[in-house]
Amino acid sequence: MPNTKIAGIGYYVPEKVVTNDDLTKIMDTTDEWIQERTGIRERRYGKKHKETTTTMGARAAEIAIQRAGIAKEEVDFIIFATLSPDYYFPGCGVLVQRELGITGSEAGALDIRNQCSGFVYGLSIADQFIKSGMYRNILLIGSEMHSMGLDFSTRGRNVTVIFGDGAGAVLLQPTDEPGKGILTTHLHSNGTYAEKLAFINPGAHGGYHAAHQEEQVDYHYSDAEYGEMFVNEYMVENGYIFPNMEGQFVFKMAVQKFPEVIMEALAKTGLQTSDINMFIPHQANLRISQFVQRKLGLSDDQVWNNIQRFGNTTAASVPIALCEAYEAGAVKEGDLVCLAAFGSGFTWGSALIRW
Ligand code: UT7
């Protein structure tokens, strides 16, 4: 059975830089607060009406495909991870197929909704398809256009200042080189706390899960038997159409689950933290990554952080950081790379790759 290797990798971030000071002009926040709590100095925002989650994903994908040395038409399966899709449905997988101009191949396209851990989940899915021999050239994309769906009033500041736009992609292929490629992947979830970090409306819940929410929200649905709306005026007026997060709760879970799932991967492969050449954490918050680094006893040159420049790009953050590290020469042939992510769901996961 072959292993799965990353044959090509690429990322794309939009040109527009939005600094913390830029945000202070539209909401009550400060550069000091944002840097102290998150490490973020600036993030990128896509060009409204010109760029989307799909188009950014396509730009990253083109680089990954080109670096893999294959023609676009040879992609035989697409996996697209995002929480900010262009449409409610259909998903970005088919849209990126069209954007890349490869609809003729009629390759399968799968969208996955696993938020911050979407890329790690996608990697594991692709790995199984490749190991089984079902596909040979899988395009995996993580992309987010957060800036289209955030609350830019002070009400949303705890969430809005964190997120940025961008995309990362890999082209995955089988390899027969012994000991190379994806060595192991580990996926977990716990839906108990689904609403602690969520973007609830528009949705077909009809208020059903209200009891699980910290704030007992009455979404003001009518009693109509048929044709209920996904979003109503009350939700719009009260800001229930934006992502919400109970930050401290999420933080505490993250710093517990990151080390757990990394140690699980190391135990499975008989490796140690000292064997890791490069740890690429999901860029949730610099304080979380620093906590995990200390907990695992990793040195600064074993960890890649870029949240300072790009903010949290959710499903795109791991492939963007991995690509940056690769381009900087910080990930080299034979290196052991550890990926890990935690986020909404809660869902989390890890992967070990021998580059
Ligand atoms: O990627 C997916 C996973 N996500 C995460 O892992 C995020 C985990 N959580 C976090 O990173 C942190 O909890 C945050 C950065 C989101 C927030 O930091 P915090 O230290 O937990 O702040 P807090 O939410 O407890 O708020 C502390 C104070 C509050 O004011 P009061 O009630 O103490 O007066 C907030 O209203 O900070 C206030 N605040 C802000 N002030 C200035 C919240 N957001 C802001 C802001 N600017 N942007």
Side-chain angles (χ1 to χ4, degrees):
M1 203 163 40
N3 269 356
T4 304
K5 69 170 181 188
I6 294 180
I9 183 163
Y11 80 98
Y12 171 85
V13 287
E15 258 175 52
K16 187 177 178 182
V17 175
V18 177
T19 65
N20 294 342
D21 281 336
D22 290 334
L23 293 177
T24 64
K25 291 173 194 135
I26 49 174
M27 63 176 73
D28 183 12
T29 189
T30 61
D31 174 48
E32 193 190 5
W33 191 96
I34 301 171
Q35 286 215 44
E36 195 184 299
R37 310 282 176 129
T38 71
I40 299 166
R41 294 196 303 268
E42 58 191 40
R43 72 286 292 141
R44 305 291 181 97
Y45 284 173
K47 209 180 270 176
K48 274 203 176 84
H49 320 303
K50 302 275 184 216
E51 289 183 304
T52 73
T53 296
T54 297
T55 69
M56 293 190 296
R59 300 295 85 79
E62 280 160 351
I63 300 167
I65 292 168
Q66 190 241 325
R67 283 184 172 155
I70 62 158
K72 289 188 290 188
E73 292 70 21
E74 290 178 78
V75 168
D76 51 15
F77 197 69
I78 298 168
I79 304 177
F80 204 117
T82 186
L83 65 64
S84 50
D86 293 16
Y87 296 151
Y88 195 88
F89 74 82
C92 289
V94 294
L95 297 179
V96 84
Q97 185 197 50
R98 183 173 69 186
E99 183 73 17
L100 290 169
I102 53 172
T103 49
S105 68
E106 299 192 347
L110 172 72
D111 278 61
I112 52 175
R113 302 186 46 175
N114 283 75
Q115 300 70 250
C116 305
S117 57
F119 184 82
V120 175
Y121 265 73
L123 204 63
S124 183
I125 294 167
D127 187 30
Q128 314 314 313
F129 276 141
I130 285 180
K131 279 205 173 88
S132 72
M134 187 151 173
Y135 297 115
R136 289 191 61 82
N137 287 307
I138 300 186
L139 174 62
L140 167 62
I141 299 171
S143 180
E144 306 286 357
M145 180 87 170
H146 285 305
S147 62
M148 285 294 282
L150 295 169
D151 182 354
F152 284 98
S153 72
T154 295
R155 183 178 57 196
R157 66 183 179 174
N158 67 318
V159 174
T160 299
V161 300
I162 297 173
F163 292 102
D165 299 344
V170 290
L171 194 287
L172 298 153
Q173 289 179 338
T175 174
D176 290 323
E177 270 192 89
K180 285 281 184 74
I182 297 172
L183 306 181
T184 189
T185 57
H186 300 266
L187 309 178
H188 294 282
S189 72
N190 184 340
T192 311
Y193 309 110
E195 287 78 13
K196 296 282 187 196
L197 172 50
F199 193 159
I200 289 169
N201 304 297
H205 58 86
Y208 176 79
H209 300 292
H212 296 280
Q213 293 175 38
E214 198 86 338
E215 187 192 352
Q216 301 286 304
V217 183
D218 174 0
Y219 289 109
H220 287 221
Y221 281 105
S222 75
D223 289 331
E225 190 69 19
Y226 301 108
E228 193 58 281
M229 286 174 296
F230 280 155
V231 183
N232 61 36
E233 230 169 84
Y234 176 83
M235 295 173 192
V236 175
E237 273 164 21
N238 292 281
Y240 294 126
I241 53 154
F242 294 113
N244 66 275
M245 169 164 67
E246 211 182 297
Q248 292 198 11
F249 189 90
V250 179
F251 195 105
K252 282 180 198 142
M253 289 296 283
V255 295
Q256 184 192 330
K257 295 302 177 189
F258 266 105
E260 239 176 64
V261 77
I262 294 164
M263 293 314 290
E264 185 184 346
L266 290 169
K268 178 78 190 296
T269 46
L271 294 160
Q272 328 257 325
T273 50
S274 55
D275 294 318
I276 297 174
N277 298 100
M278 184 52 68
F279 169 44
I280 311 272
H282 159 54
Q283 312 284 310
N285 180 326
L286 188 59
R287 309 296 160 234
I288 293 176
S289 299
Q290 288 169 335
F291 183 98
V292 176
Q293 176 181 344
R294 276 197 303 276
K295 180 106 191 195
L296 298 180
L298 300 175
S299 60
D300 286 350
D301 60 1
Q302 282 176 292
V303 186
W304 194 267
N305 293 306
N306 63 9
I307 190 171
Q308 302 91 325
R309 290 173 287 118
F310 297 141
N312 178 342
T313 57
T314 311
S317 96
V318 169
I320 292 175
L322 179 60
C323 188
E324 262 206 341
Y326 166 75
E327 287 177 0
V331 171
K332 298 174 295 300
E333 179 90 26
D335 279 356
L336 182 70
V337 179
C338 174
L339 312 180
F342 173 89
S344 161
F346 294 128
T347 65
W348 62 100
S350 64
L352 284 176
I353 304 170
R354 183 67 69 186
W355 202 265

